[in-house]
Each structure stands twice: as C-alpha cells, then as structure tokens.
Amino acid sequence: GESVGLHLPTLSVQEGDNSIINCAYSNSASDYFIWYKQESGKGPQFIIDIRSNMDKRQGQRVTVLLNKTVKHLSLQIAATQPGDSAVYFCAEIEGYSTLTFGKGTMLLVSP
Amino acid sequence: GAVVSQHPSWVICKSGTSVKIECRSLDFQATTMFWYRQFPKQSLMLMATSNEGSKATYEQGVEKDKFLINHASLTLSTLTVTSAHPEDSSFYICSARSTSGRYQETQYFGPGTRLLVL
C-alpha cells in the first residue's frame, strides 16, 4: 500500500540554469542504464541511455555520466526550461532482466 | 518510433466489478510487456512480466488471480483487475520491450491508466 509521508527528493532551479540529477544504483553487474522523465499523470518517457562500457553520452541538451567505480549515474540538463519540470527516474538492468528503478527526483524549474 | 498506448486513460468503477486495461505497442513488436503500479510520489512497482504466448510471471506479493494478464499478440497485452476494491485504486502503467532495435533491453512506457474504485 501507499507509504504515508514519503517525499521525493526535489531539485529547484531557475530557468536557464544547468541541472544535475544524481542516482546511486545498486547492482554492480548492471550493464545498461536509462533515464526516464515522468510528468504528472503520465507514463515515464525515455530520455537517454548508456551502456556500462561508456562513461558519458550526450543527447540534445542532456548528458548522462556513469561512474561504475562508485555505482553512480547522473543526468545533466543544459539550459533548463519550465517544460523540464517533472520527476526523473534512473533505471538499471542486467542483461535481459527487468528494469530496476531508482526512487526518483522531482525537478522544479522556476521561470 | 517506439510508441506504447494504453486504454482507457482513466476509469471509475464500483467495488466488485472487473476492469480491463489494454496496452498496445503501436509501431514495433514487443515479445515482452510489463505491468507496473504506481502510488503518488513513489517509484514504479513492477507487478508482472508477460511474454507473448506464455503465462505471465508475477512479482512476489502480486495476486495472479486478482490481476489477470494476457499477452496474446506481439502488440497487445491486457491487465484485468478482477473484483476491484478501493485499495486497487492506483495508476497502472505498462511498458513494452522491442524485439529489435539498438538496445533490446529498452522499455518504452505507455501513458498510464488511472483507476478509481468507489
């Protein structure tokens, strides 16, 4: 059932700033990682992914960094816009098993 | 590409009735589809994994007789919440994994179905 009093970590930024959302993953054998964006009332939307044989991958305004040594993943959003406001989830997977989701971070962008 | 749809987007039903939710991959074939449940301000909780033409695999604690899953084709999976009760009210989201493409492990999500049981 629902956990009472659970709060998502929140990152508040000003429009135009760069945002960095962090994620610690748990399985050292995970070899594929995905960042998803979830707006209120909608399903998660694929943003960017990265393989474990890479440490950086860039997309349009987004960059994912992977540090396997400390099992850390980050999502950088350049020139953050109000439309970027959402909850961001990292997800990890080992082989063809199921995705394991992180807890999520809420990004709030002020105009 | 990689669009997943769900129907209905929201449903309100009386306690004791059954509700069917459809999940379709629109522009790709999905041998595997997943059903998640999400409570407010929480992450997605995997309920079950369904492979086309075989029985679904349920996560621990998820009642298979309560949440019936059918994956009859490479583009369609259905979740039926049987004898729904208020505690089943939640946001149900499906995802699909492509059989081809750059990374076949990538899951694409549907827009979700909001279920409210009165």
Side-chain angles (χ1 to χ4, degrees):
Chain A
E2 182 177 2
S3 298
V4 176
L6 185 67
H7 296 285
L8 285 172
T10 300
L11 174 65
S12 297
V13 300
Q14 293 285 118
E15 182 178 1
D17 287 352
N18 295 331
S19 303
I20 300 177
I21 300 171
N22 296 303
C23 175
Y25 64 92
S26 55
N27 182 3
S28 57
S30 290
D31 52 13
Y32 180 52
F33 305 86
I34 307 173
W35 278 101
Y36 288 96
K37 171 186 179 184
Q38 186 177 26
E39 297 175 270
S40 181
K42 298 183 179 179
Q45 175 189 358
F46 175 94
I47 300 175
I48 192 168
D49 58 5
I50 190 168
R51 276 276 184 207
S52 59
N53 62 355
M54 303 172 70
D55 52 23
K56 179 179 180 179
R57 187 155 183 265
Q58 287 184 291
Q60 190 174 18
R61 277 203 311 121
V62 294
T63 301
V64 55
L65 298 177
L66 174 63
N67 185 330
K68 295 182 289 293
T69 303
V70 295
K71 294 190 286 187
H72 184 268
L73 198 64
S74 69
L75 177 70
Q76 300 178 358
I77 305 173
T80 313
Q81 303 166 0
D84 295 327
S85 294
V87 176
Y88 290 81
F89 292 99
C90 66
E92 60 180 303
I93 188 169
E94 177 185 356
Y96 284 95
S97 62
T98 57
L99 281 177
T100 299
F101 280 89
K103 288 183 170 52
T105 296
M106 180 173 290
L107 176 65
L108 296 175
V109 183
S110 307
Chain B
V3 178
V4 177
S5 71
Q6 276 183 246
H7 178 81
S9 56
W10 62 269
V11 58
I12 302 174
C13 70
K14 291 183 178 180
S15 184
T17 60
S18 294
V19 175
K20 180 185 282 189
I21 303 170
E22 291 186 349
C23 176
R24 293 181 186 273
S25 56
L26 298 184
D27 53 359
F28 67 99
Q29 292 187 325
T31 52
T32 306
M33 289 186 168
F34 306 85
W35 287 96
Y36 292 82
R37 186 173 178 176
Q38 187 178 35
F39 292 105
K41 296 186 185 282
Q42 293 191 32
S43 189
L44 286 76
M45 181 185 77
L46 179 66
M47 297 174 66
T49 302
S50 76
N51 291 293
E52 185 261 341
S54 62
K55 289 184 179 180
T57 301
Y58 290 82
E59 295 298 299
Q60 192 172 10
V62 178
E63 298 175 59
K64 62 179 181 181
D65 296 328
K66 173 77 171 174
F67 300 99
L68 301 179
I69 292 172
N70 182 277
H71 190 168
S73 76
L74 284 173
T75 58
L76 174 64
S77 176
T78 60
L79 168 69
T80 301
V81 183
T82 62
S83 186
H85 288 97
E87 58 266 29
D88 299 322
S89 299
S90 191
F91 192 49
Y92 292 88
I93 312 172
C94 73
S95 71
R97 196 156 66 187
S98 175
T99 56
S100 63
R102 189 168 70 86
Y103 293 138
Q104 294 178 26
E105 309 96 310
T106 307
Q107 288 179 223
Y108 297 94
F109 286 82
T113 297
R114 178 78 58 189
L115 171 63
L116 176 61
V117 184
L118 303 176

